[in-house]
Amino acid sequence: MVDFLIMIQIVGAGDSLQMIKRGVFEKINLLLINKAEQERLQLAKIEAEKFRHNFELFTERESGLKAKVLICSSIEKTGFEKIWASTNEFILKSKESNYFSRRRKNQNMKWFEKLMNHEIYEIIESRGELKKEIERIKEGVKEGKTNPLIASQEIQMLFKSFLTPKNL
């Protein structure tokens, strides 16, 4: 879970098609074209323009903010002020529009659900009999002998029987 995704692309390292295929492109907030040194600066500018065009093809993001493409060089130490300004602009605008707050609430709920699932899994793992019964039910679903709905209801009843004061 991240608030701001920066992707670094090296000049001449490949096309944006690979990112589009992998579903990364629509998640990027800032794309950096790095290694834009003297002899590769013009190529970096051309690539940056292609990426900007590709970003325009995507529908507007939930944040309402468009992804940016910047050029930088770590050797020549150029472009970093714009990177910092762009990052701060995103944070400011996302907080003004309440996107940041909404996203944080959603992230917290996802985090809570993962933690809750982990805790439930720990209960199952620590109780051998419960684990065996769940494995038996899962095997029935896997082999097509048990309907998934029936299996989930069996597990619910199983949990209720194990969640008595004497079993806790």
Side-chain angles (χ1 to χ4, degrees), residues 123-168:
I123 290 171
I124 293 168
E125 285 296 309
S126 68
R127 289 172 172 79
E129 235 180 273
L130 179 61
K131 184 178 177 181
K132 284 180 189 175
E133 281 298 305
I134 289 175
E135 288 301 321
R136 181 190 59 76
I137 294 168
K138 283 170 61 176
E139 193 60 33
V141 172
K142 184 179 176 182
E143 292 178 5
K145 295 177 181 176
T146 308
N147 177 295
L149 178 61
I150 302 295
S152 68
Q153 291 169 345
E154 280 184 53
I155 288 177
Q156 181 183 23
M157 290 185 329
L158 193 59
F159 261 100
K160 285 180 181 178
S161 71
F162 269 86
L163 294 178
T164 61
K166 70 175 185 141
N167 288 327
L168 296 174

Side-chain angles (χ1 to χ4, degrees), residues 1-6 27 29 90 99 103-104 107:
M1 292 184 257
V2 298
D3 295 314
F4 188 75
L5 180 62
I6 299 175
K27 293 180 173 93
N29 299 105
F90 176 87
Y99 170 74
R103 184 156 171 86
R104 180 65 77 235
Q107 287 172 337

Side-chain angles (χ1 to χ4, degrees), residues 1-165:
M1 292 184 257
V2 298
D3 295 314
F4 188 75
L5 180 62
I6 299 175
M7 177 147 179
I8 302 173
Q9 178 79 9
I10 298 171
V11 176
D15 65 348
S16 59
L17 189 58
Q18 293 303 317
M19 285 189 282
I20 292 170
K21 282 192 230 175
R22 293 187 182 138
V24 172
F25 212 77
E26 60 270 7
K27 293 180 173 93
I28 298 170
N29 299 105
L30 178 60
L31 177 67
L32 304 178
I33 308 292
N34 192 20
K35 300 201 180 278
E37 284 82 41
Q38 299 162 355
E39 66 279 355
R40 298 196 308 197
L41 182 58
Q42 193 57 39
L43 180 58
K45 288 179 180 179
I46 292 168
E47 284 187 21
E49 199 52 45
K50 286 180 183 177
F51 280 112
R52 283 186 194 102
H53 174 72
N54 287 340
F55 279 126
E56 293 295 323
L57 299 175
F58 290 94
T59 58
E60 191 166 297
R61 297 152 186 261
E62 185 185 345
S63 66
L65 302 170
K66 292 187 183 273
K68 291 191 175 186
V69 181
L70 298 175
I71 297 171
C72 65
S73 167
S74 19
I75 291 174
E76 295 178 356
K77 296 179 178 28
T78 57
F80 294 100
E81 307 81 28
K82 288 181 181 179
I83 294 168
W84 188 246
S86 182
T87 304
N88 285 327
E89 177 188 14
F90 176 87
I91 292 168
L92 180 67
K93 287 183 176 180
S94 67
K95 285 185 176 181
E96 285 174 354
S97 69
N98 283 330
Y99 170 74
F100 189 87
S101 175
R102 285 191 319 270
R103 184 156 171 86
R104 180 65 77 235
K105 287 176 183 176
N106 287 338
Q107 287 172 337
N108 283 339
M109 285 308 299
K110 285 180 182 176
W111 187 24
F112 165 74
E113 288 170 0
K114 283 184 181 217
L115 289 171
M116 181 182 64
N117 287 335
H118 176 74
E119 292 299 321
I120 291 169
Y121 181 77
E122 287 296 315
I123 290 171
I124 293 168
E125 285 296 309
S126 68
R127 289 172 172 79
E129 235 180 273
L130 179 61
K131 184 178 177 181
K132 284 180 189 175
E133 281 298 305
I134 289 175
E135 288 301 321
R136 181 190 59 76
I137 294 168
K138 283 170 61 176
E139 193 60 33
V141 172
K142 184 179 176 182
E143 292 178 5
K145 295 177 181 176
T146 308
N147 177 295
L149 178 61
I150 302 295
S152 68
Q153 291 169 345
E154 280 184 53
I155 288 177
Q156 181 183 23
M157 290 185 329
L158 193 59
F159 261 100
K160 285 180 181 178
S161 71
F162 269 86
L163 294 178
T164 61

